Amino acid sequence: QLEWNTSQLWRLPRLLDQRGLPTLIAVFLMEAPRSVRPPGRFFLARLCCWGATIGVAIAINLQYGGLKGLPEDYLRMLLEIPDVLSQDEVRKCRERLESAQWHDGRQTAGHVAVRTKNNEQLAGDDQLAVQLGNSILDRLAATPRFIAAALPLKVLPPRFNRYTGAGAYGNHIDNAIFNIPGTPHRVRSDLSATLFFSDPDSYEGGELIMEGSFGQRSVKLPAGHMVLYPATTLHRVTPVTKGVRYAAFFWIQSLVREENRRAMLLELDDTIQALTMTAPDDPAVVRLTGLYHNLLREWSNT
C-alpha cells in the first residue's frame, strides 16, 4: 500500500503503466486526503491533490503524448454493445415493423431539424411501438455492458424509424430534455442510443456519422447491435439509396451526468473485472471495488 504524498509524484508514469489513468486518478481522489495527518490536514490535503494533478498531467504527456493521445473511449464515450437482441428476436421484430403504420418523421422534429429530417417513424402511442419498446427496456435491464456504461437513472421509451428511398437525416444535436409521454416526468438526454434491426448488407447508405473531439466516426452495425454515445454529439444519417434501414432510438438520463466521470467509472469497472478474472484473491480487487462505489456515491444524482 502506498502513502500518497507529493514526494512520490515521480512514480506516476510507472503507476500509470500498471493501473491505467482512471484508476490512478480514483486512488488519488479517495486516498490523498486520508494520507495527511494533523496538523494542517486540510491544507496539506489540498496541496497533495494539487501536486497529484500536476503529476497526472506529466504522466499523460509521458505515456500518451498529451490528451489527444488518450484512448478514444476515454475522451469520448462511443461504445458498441453487441447482441442486445438475438438474431431470432431481430427477425421477429423486423417482420412486425415491415407491416407497421409509418408516419412522416418530420412530425416529431424541432424547427431546425425539420429542414434536414427525411425519414418515417411510428407514432408514440402506436401499440406495436409500445410493445417492442417495453421488450427492449426489459432486455437492456439485463445487459451488463449497458448498465456499466450508461449507469441509467431514466430511459425514455424507445422510438422506431425507417429510412428508405434516399431517406436521410442531416447534421443535428438531440434535444436536451424530453417529456415521457402520458406522464408529467421529464428525461435529460445524457446519452443517445441506436439499436439496429437491419443487416448492413441489406441496404446501401444509412451510416450513422458522428463528429466530435474524436474526429469523425461512421457507424453501421449488425442487426441486434447497439451504439451508445453522448447526446451532445453532432450526428447525421446518410441517404439510404437501396433497401430499408430499420432501427430503434432512445435517450438515457444517467446517474452520473458528466461524460468524463462516466468514462472513468467504466474503465475502472473494466479494470476490476479483468483483475477479478486473473487474480480474484488480490486485495486490490476489494480496494478498487470500494473506490468505484465511493466515486459513484460522490458523483451520482438520484
Side-chain angles (χ1 to χ4, degrees), residues 59-72:
I60 288 171
N61 279 280
L62 289 174
Q63 180 74 8
Y64 298 109
L67 285 173
K68 292 183 179 179
L70 282 171
E72 267 186 15

Side-chain angles (χ1 to χ4, degrees), residues 76 78 116 163 169-175 191-194 207-212 214 216-217 219 227 229-238 245 249-251:
R76 197 73 169 172
L78 196 161
T116 63
Y163 288 85
Y169 199 164
N171 273 337
H172 65 284
I173 293 177
D174 294 331
N175 291 345
L191 291 153
S192 300
T194 298
E207 291 85 2
L208 176 59
I209 307 295
M210 306 179 192
E211 298 178 14
F214 49 80
Q216 180 171 293
R217 291 280 295 272
V219 178
V227 62
Y229 58 98
T232 55
T233 305
L234 181 69
H235 59 287
R236 65 184 182 272
V237 177
T238 63
R245 177 193 189 267
F249 61 102
F250 53 95
W251 296 272

Side-chain angles (χ1 to χ4, degrees), residues 11-194:
R11 304 182 66 178
L12 281 169
R14 185 158 58 88
L15 289 169
L16 185 61
D17 250 350
Q18 295 170 346
R19 295 291 186 186
L21 180 64
T23 302
L24 183 60
I25 294 175
V27 171
F28 266 104
L29 286 172
M30 300 307 299
E31 298 294 338
R34 299 176 184 175
S35 66
V36 185
R37 296 177 175 82
R41 174 186 174 91
F42 295 106
F43 170 75
L44 290 176
R46 289 191 180 199
L47 180 63
C48 182
C49 290
W50 175 78
T53 302
I54 296 176
V56 168
I58 295 171
I60 288 171
N61 279 280
L62 289 174
Q63 180 74 8
Y64 298 109
L67 285 173
K68 292 183 179 179
L70 282 171
E72 267 186 15
D73 288 341
Y74 176 75
L75 287 173
R76 197 73 169 172
M77 288 278 287
L78 196 161
L79 297 176
E80 175 186 342
I81 303 178
D83 300 319
V84 174
L85 298 177
S86 69
Q87 290 303 301
D88 186 56
E89 289 170 328
V90 167
R91 179 183 56 78
K92 291 178 180 179
C93 288
R94 191 167 55 238
E95 287 176 352
R96 300 184 71 184
L97 290 172
E98 287 172 352
S99 59
Q101 297 296 315
W102 295 95
H103 302 274
D104 190 335
R106 288 174 292 187
Q107 295 176 6
T108 62
H111 69 282
V112 174
V114 71
R115 293 178 293 179
T116 63
K117 188 175 185 180
N118 178 24
N119 66 5
E120 297 172 298
Q121 290 183 206
L122 295 185
D125 58 354
D126 186 291
Q127 286 303 302
L128 176 59
V130 173
Q131 292 171 12
L132 294 181
N134 287 336
S135 298
I136 291 171
L137 292 177
D138 290 341
R139 181 54 55 87
L140 291 174
T143 304
R145 191 61 175 169
F146 170 76
I147 301 297
L151 297 171
L153 174 63
K154 301 176 185 177
V155 182
L156 200 72
R159 304 178 183 184
F160 299 84
N161 58 24
R162 178 173 75 171
Y163 288 85
T164 189
Y169 199 164
N171 273 337
H172 65 284
I173 293 177
D174 294 331
N175 291 345
I177 304 294
F178 290 90
N179 294 316
I180 298 180
T183 76
H185 304 296
R186 297 180 177 181
V187 172
R188 183 187 67 239
S189 60
D190 296 323
L191 291 153
S192 300
T194 298

